[in-house]
Structures are given as structure tokens and as C-alpha cells.
Amino acid sequence: MLNMQIMKKQLLTILMFALGVSAQVWADDKLIDLCEKNTSSTYKEYGTATTIAAGSTLTVRTARYTDFYPTLSGKGNLELYCGGERTYLGKHSDKSYPNWTNFTGHVDIYPYKAVEGNCGFYGAVMNTNGKSYSPEDANPTSKINVLFNNNKVVLHEGAAFATEKSAAGIRIGELNTEAGSRMYGYYKSQSATSTAYYLLGCLHTDATLAGRIASVEKNGAPDATQAVGIVKEGKGTYTLTANDNQISGAIRINEGKVLINNDAATARKKKYTGGTGSAGNASMPVAYVFKGATLGGNGNIGGHVDLYGSLMPGDEGQGTLYLANYATSAACHLIVHPGSSMHFSLTDASAYTSMEASGSIQFSSMLQDFTEGKTQPQVVATLSENQQVKEGDTFTLIKAAKGRQNAADWKFKIVLPEQLTWDVNEAEENGQYVLSVTCTSLNQGSQGGEDDKDNVDDKDNVDDKDEEDEDDSAMFGEVAGTTVQKGMFLRKYLEMLDTDKRIGVAVPSTWTYNVPASPSSTVSKNISNNFNLCVAENEMKIDQIEPSQNGFNFGAANDLVQYAQNQRMAVRGHTLVWHQQVPEWISKDGKNNDKKWTREQLLEIMKNHITKCVKQFGSKVMEWDVVNETLDDDQSIVRTNPNGYQLRKESVWVKVIGEDFIDSAFVYAHRANPNIKLYLNDYDCEFSGVAKTTALYNLAKRLKDKGVPIDGVGLQCHLKANNFSKPKLNQTVKRYAEIGLNCIFTEIDIAITGNSSSELTKQAEVFSQIAQVWLKNDNCPHMVVWGINDKFSWVSGSHAVLFDENNTGKPAYKALQTTLRNYVANMKQQTSVEGVDNANAAEVGRYNLSGLRLTAPAHGVNIVRMSNGTVKKVMK
Ligand code: XIL
């Protein structure tokens, strides 16, 4: 009877599916079988929106080629029996994944071998809508697959998770994996770099990962070029127990706790990789423990540990945590940062927790947000509930086979239980470090918490609030009695001042230039009225300028420059060397050297391109983005190398020429025209405290220190209204000032969700704050908006720029008017008091703020010529 029912429902489903009916299917104990005639060219698909009612189970069977992408909702259970390899939770063709936001039930994933029993793996392939994620992303939500955000998922024995070739981020609310299951990254072994990170735990629950975490096998071992990593989110504890993990992309513990509880004794004996294995690049940490988070366990960690938070060796008061790689014997170091702490639990001389490192213990004064900290790291021992410590008991808490590095610069603050009296013994002999403590009396001692009185500054332990910068409100506030008009075109405000500041716009490629006549369309008017700087959105990229080798086509770019001159706009050139929009004759995809250039040949190509481009426009193009987007998205390297940075691997320039293509590019551009400014441009480098921001600074500093002719960096500022911090942007700009570099905003768009008035207001505030940072920092001469209106903006659907689809100024536009107006009014006041060299100043006229000569005394400015010949406007 039940069978009949299931069969009926099954038939109904198949019927509805065949008819393309997209109505919701209510599922109660339903089976969807997607195992018929699946081939690589005819995937079996299921995309009908489906609700799984609470208490019911939807069972899905897939065969090798399946796209399962229904919108799901409901609280029931989903059982996925996955056929081999290509069972996509999404569509394989467009890399999309479905919306399961309203599906909160449990998910069980099993292997299904009934149809084809000989596949590489049985499991689910997770798509990411083509988005790229890097584990140092401060705000990953829009860059990851959030399919399982609200689900508790179990990966059963024999089942697997895999991702497509990409930089994938997969968030799962709760994940448990059984022994015999596997978390891969990209499921094919190819030399192409591919990274996959599983963000686990946002439901704040505890879970166990007993399955293997490792990339696909290549020559019998996990492919180290492909990163598979874990990012621990949420408050719960995740326990890893497999003995053959190779977590090449590292474990990052952002929140909560991770226990590495593999069987270290067996791993040691059999030379297994054990609890974590090592990072793909063995000099990088395999575990990062961030502030407020904890790493513990009594297994082995096969790589370095970077500690900002707590290390809590052992589990439940027992056990040793080993930093040791038994498969390679490489030394594993512990790097402790200010505010970090190590916690030990003491029961008696035979029962306590401890840690042993095969490498050294090193101190880095850099905090998690790349600022400097002062607090020394702590060792804290506490008595367990059932402690029976006796006089004379010795506890060897830490052993590091390769000692404590730079021991003169730092020491542990050691905090011992106050109830007893202790002797601390830090032996640093024969290149080893051993910390042991001995109970010398059962009477109350003095060390507990009191030791090391000079070490009181522990502010690094408290959560840093966003650092507030100085109050700008006076500078940008409304100025009483101002004569500066409201609602003027943006550039007009700047033209009232003696300033080099320019506000720019990227000219959309769909725009016809109207050269040389004055533009007539509303779009063109909005451009020339408001902006005194423009950038070709595409026309100065290498594919357009040099479509064939040494065959230059400056047509569109020339038109733009001509037009800009007619409209008294300056031009910034974008961009000389980039891995995208590269002509096919150089490289088919900009990444690979399919044309087999030698280093010398490609350098010559680059030199020729840069030289001819720069010379073509002379000083009509006031500055160039010489190198664009050369940094990798993942800049974890700056955690262990504070001056480090990682170049993008998938770039033909990096691959064929090597890092010094950057140095050479700047030199060639400078030789072609020493009078223009040269910039290094990149994205996601706007806010201080972010790894990539630090990396761009490090690269720019390296170039500057070496004498490479670089004038500054461009921060692209493709941002989201929700993730903006004015103090952090300001800090970034100021940091460049310290090393004599400009820092400008080159491609601003501020994405919002929909265009409700609250979103538009939020966006307006962000534009205003960016403008405030621009205006108040002398080393930030330009801010450029990427696109003139929401219709032409390259981030379509994000309502990201100043004018709407109908070319009407949005609240963001009005906010910029206000910010500029206030700035001008304030500047007037400031110039009047700012110590103009009156003795040497010769009055050359009396003008109003728009520069018109005044006949009668009025509220206005004097234009004075200074002894050095410059002209200043002075408030009267
Ligand atoms: C974008 C353009 O806006 C698009 O029209 C084009 O299709 C792709 O490139 N970073 C950059 C810009 O440096 O050159 C990009 O411009 C946007 C991202």
C-alpha cells in the first residue's frame, strides 16, 4: 500500500517534471529518482520548487550526471543518495546553485552506487555562482555558496563533497562527517590551482568531522597545489578525528573551538599525516587561531600554528597536543602573538594537559589586524575539579624541540593556580625549550595572576572597537552664513578652490563621445558638468589599444582624450598591464602562456606597449594605472611574513616574466613620460586590518624603497554599503602618506540591495564618507566613480553609482554635493586664518567665490599672489 502511494507520487513527480510544471510539490516521504539515461551531454535535471514539510522526508537518488536545483523550503528532511562524480547541487552549465534559504531541515548525504558502481567518488558537487572566495575575506557572505546555511548536514560513509575548479567558499550551518567520507576541493587532479574552503558552524552547534579532509589524489597523494581548508564559524566545538587529513588550505578558527583528536600514537608509528597534515605551502601555518577562538585536542597538528587566541592542549583535562608532522618530519612551529594564551589543566602528576612542538615557539608582535601589540603571550594553568596535586609534583607543560626564538625579545607571562605555591622552571638548553612547573607547597602561593607585574597591559585581549578617527564634523558640518550655493554640479565646488583635487568618472563604453562638439545627451551632460576627471572604462585597455602585435588602435581612446579636453576634464589612463582584457595574440585567457613567450619576449612586448601608449597621449593623460590587480586574493602570507604579499598566480605576466614585471612596467612608463603620475591599482585593499590591504601596502613600499618610480596606489573601492568603515579607509590612506605615496579611489561603486529609500540613504552616507576621506587627506587627490549611471554600471542590478537609470541624481549624488559644499565653505574659513604670508603677498584683485571680480566690498575672497608666485584665495 505504502509502496503504491510512493509509486503514485513518483509518477506524479515525473509527470509534472515532464510537463515542465513548476508548481510547488508538497513532499511527504517522497522519492525523486533521477537515475535515468543520464549522460554527460544529457544531464538529468530537477528544478521544481519543492517544500519538504516538517516530519516528512524527501529522498533523492541521482546518477552520474545530474543537476539538482529546486528551490527548497520547509523543515522536513532531505536524503540525498548521490551517484558518481557529477551530481551537482545546482546547474553544471552556469555554475549556479539554488535558493534553500527557507529550507531548515536535516540533510543526509549517502553514496549511491546502484546505477554506476565505478566512479571516482560519490557525492555532491557544490557550485558558487562563479564567485571567488578567499579565507581572509572580511565579509564573505556574498562570495560563497550559502545553500546549507540553515541546515544540519551529515556526510555519511562513502559520500563526498567536492567543488568546481575555482576559489570556492561553501558555508554549512552544521556539518558532521562519518569516517570513510571525504571532503575534497576540486575533484580533478590538475596542475591548475584551485581552492576550496568549507565555512562550518554558523548554527553555533557542536559537531564531529570523522571523515577525511584532503584534495584529490595526484600520484598517490593529495594534490598539494589544490587547497582544501576549513573556516570555523559559530560558537560550537568541532572535533576532527581522522588520521589521514591533509588540510592544505589550513584551518582558520574565527570563533568557537576546534579539537584535533586524531590518534597521534598510530599516526606517529605509521607515518600518517594525522589530524591536519600540513598546509600546501609547508612554510605557512596549517592552523590559525583568531582572537576569542580556541584550538585544542590531544592529536597531532602537522604544520605551524599561528595563535592570536587560545591554545588549549588536551581534551577533558588529559592528553598532549603535538605539533608534529609524522609524514614528512618537518618541524612544526608555534607562533604566538600579543594577547594569545595557552591553557593547561592540572589534576595530578600523571594527569594533566601538555603540548609538544617539533619546532620552535616564536613571537610575532603583530596583532590579528596587522597593527602592533605589546602584551606578552600568557601561559595559564588551572587546577581541574578533581585535582589531587601533591607537593613535589612536576608538570611539564610545554616542550619545543627547537627552542624559543628571539628569546631576549619576549617571554611568557605565567599564571599559576593561586591556591598552591609553585616553582617555575623554563629550561632553554641545547636548543630546546621546556617549561615545567613544580608544586613546592600546598599553601597558598604568590605567583597566581601576580607574576610579572610589569606586564599589565593586556588591552590586546579585549575586542578592539573600530578605531575612531578624529572628528570631522566641524570640517564637514554646515557653515553658517556660507555663500557657497547648495546643489551645484560637483566639480563646480572644487573649481572654487585652489586645489588639485579632482572628482572623476569612468566613461561607459556604450557612450558615444560626441567629439568634438559639446555633448547633448543627458548622460554626457551629467559627465561633463559634474566631473573634472575621466577614465576610459575599457578603451585604454591593452586588448583595445593593441589588438594585434604592434598594431595600435588609439581611435576610441583619442576621441575620449579629445572630448575630455573640450570639457576641461583631466584624463587618467587605465590600464597598462593587467591579466584581463588581454588580446589573444598575447594570451588566450590572460592567465596562461599559450603563445609560449620567453621572459625576454614578453618583457619586450610589455615595454613596447607601455612606451607607445604613454607617449601617445603625453601629459594629456595625467596619470596611469601602470599595473592592475596583480595581487592574489589570498594574502594569508602577511600573517607570518609582515612584509609579505602574494602575487596572482593566474596571470601571464607573473607566470612568464616573474614579479619584476611590476618594477619594469613602472620604469618603462616613467621613461616614456617622467611628468605623469604612476599608480598601482587593486581591489579589496581599502580597509586597514585586512590582509590584502597590508599586502598592497607591502608591495607598494617595496617598490618605493627600491626607487621604482611609483607615485601611489589606487584603491578600486568596488564596495558594498553594508561593509564600509570610514576610520579604516582613512587609516589606509594615512599609512601611504607616511611613506610618501598617494592613495586614491579609482573605481568607486557602492552596491546596495534593491533601491529602497533606506538603502539609498545608506549608500549616500558611504559616498559622503569616502568623499570626506578624499578631501581631508592631501595624499588623496582623486576620487573616481566607476560608471555614470546605474544602467551602464558594470555591477548591474546593484544600483551602485550616483545617477539612476533615468540619469537623475540619487541621494548619493546629493550627499556628495553637500559634502563638497561644506568642504568648500570650511576651506574658505580655514584659508582666512591659515597664515597666508601677508607681508609678501601682493593683492592682485578682489573676487567672489566663483572667481568673479567684485566691484563693491562684499563677503568674498581676495586673490593674493604669494612671494613664490602661487596664487591663494583668502577669505575677507
Ligand atoms: C570593467 C568594465 O567596467 C566593464 O565594462 C568590462 O566589461 C570589464 O571591466 N576592475 C577594473 C576595471 O580594473 O577595469 C573593470 O572594468 C572593473 C574591475
Side-chain angles (χ1 to χ4, degrees), residues 509 537-538 541 574-575 578 580-581 628-629 681 716 718 747 786 794:
S509 44
E537 192 171 341
N538 291 300
K541 292 173 180 170
H574 173 85
T575 175
W578 190 24
Q580 283 187 30
Q581 292 177 273
N628 194 33
E629 301 185 352
N681 198 45
Q716 291 188 358
H718 296 292
E747 305 181 13
W786 202 249
W794 77 304

Side-chain angles (χ1 to χ4, degrees), residues 155 174-179 181 183 200-201 204-213 230-243 245 247 251 253 255-263 274-276 294-301 312 314-316 318 321:
L155 197 60
E174 176 188 302
L175 178 68
N176 283 281
T177 66
E178 287 183 358
S181 69
M183 293 165 77
L200 307 178
H204 304 291
T205 52
D206 297 343
T208 300
L209 302 176
R212 185 179 195 199
I213 307 166
I230 302 286
V231 178
K232 169 67 174 63
E233 305 182 312
K235 299 192 195 316
T237 298
Y238 270 54
T239 305
L240 276 67
T241 60
N243 224 359
N245 285 331
I247 309 179
I251 305 180
I253 314 172
E255 205 186 350
K257 197 179 199 178
V258 169
L259 294 176
I260 306 295
N261 277 355
N262 64 301
D263 176 359
T276 63
T294 303
L295 172 65
N298 49 27
N300 81 298
I301 295 174
M312 209 174 275
D315 184 23
E316 297 182 351
Q318 298 255 17
L321 185 62

Side-chain angles (χ1 to χ4, degrees), residues 313 316-318 343-347 351-353 380-384 395:
E316 297 182 351
Q318 298 255 17
H343 297 262
F344 300 91
S345 164
L346 315 178
T347 301
Y352 64 98
T353 62
V380 182
T382 44
L383 299 173
S384 72
F395 302 87

Side-chain angles (χ1 to χ4, degrees), residues 19 123 138 142 175 262 322 375 392 487 511 528 681 685 711 778 819 845 849:
L19 293 171
S142 61
L175 178 68
N262 64 301
Y322 297 95
T375 318
W511 180 52
S528 58
N681 198 45
C685 302
D711 295 285
D778 288 344
T819 306
L849 283 164

Side-chain angles (χ1 to χ4, degrees), residues 133-245:
Y133 165 77
S134 120
E136 287 282 347
D137 276 344
N139 299 292
T141 304
S142 61
K143 301 177 182 167
I144 56 181
N145 173 321
V146 294
L147 191 70
F148 288 129
N149 245 23
N150 303 320
N151 306 107
K152 297 186 172 181
V153 180
V154 180
L155 197 60
H156 290 269
E157 183 181 356
F161 267 135
T163 62
E164 266 299 347
K165 186 169 89 182
S166 59
I170 313 293
R171 177 177 276 156
I172 301 175
E174 176 188 302
L175 178 68
N176 283 281
T177 66
E178 287 183 358
S181 69
R182 177 76 171 260
M183 293 165 77
Y184 293 102
Y186 182 39
Y187 55 86
K188 286 186 197 160
S189 167
Q190 290 188 350
S191 57
T193 51
S194 183
T195 57
Y197 292 87
Y198 296 90
L199 296 84
L200 307 178
C202 65
L203 290 180
H204 304 291
T205 52
D206 297 343
T208 300
L209 302 176
R212 185 179 195 199
I213 307 166
S215 57
V216 70
E217 270 70 22
K218 187 179 186 179
N219 306 327
D223 183 348
T225 63
Q226 295 188 18
V228 185
I230 302 286
V231 178
K232 169 67 174 63
E233 305 182 312
K235 299 192 195 316
T237 298
Y238 270 54
T239 305
L240 276 67
T241 60
N243 224 359
D244 53 1
N245 285 331

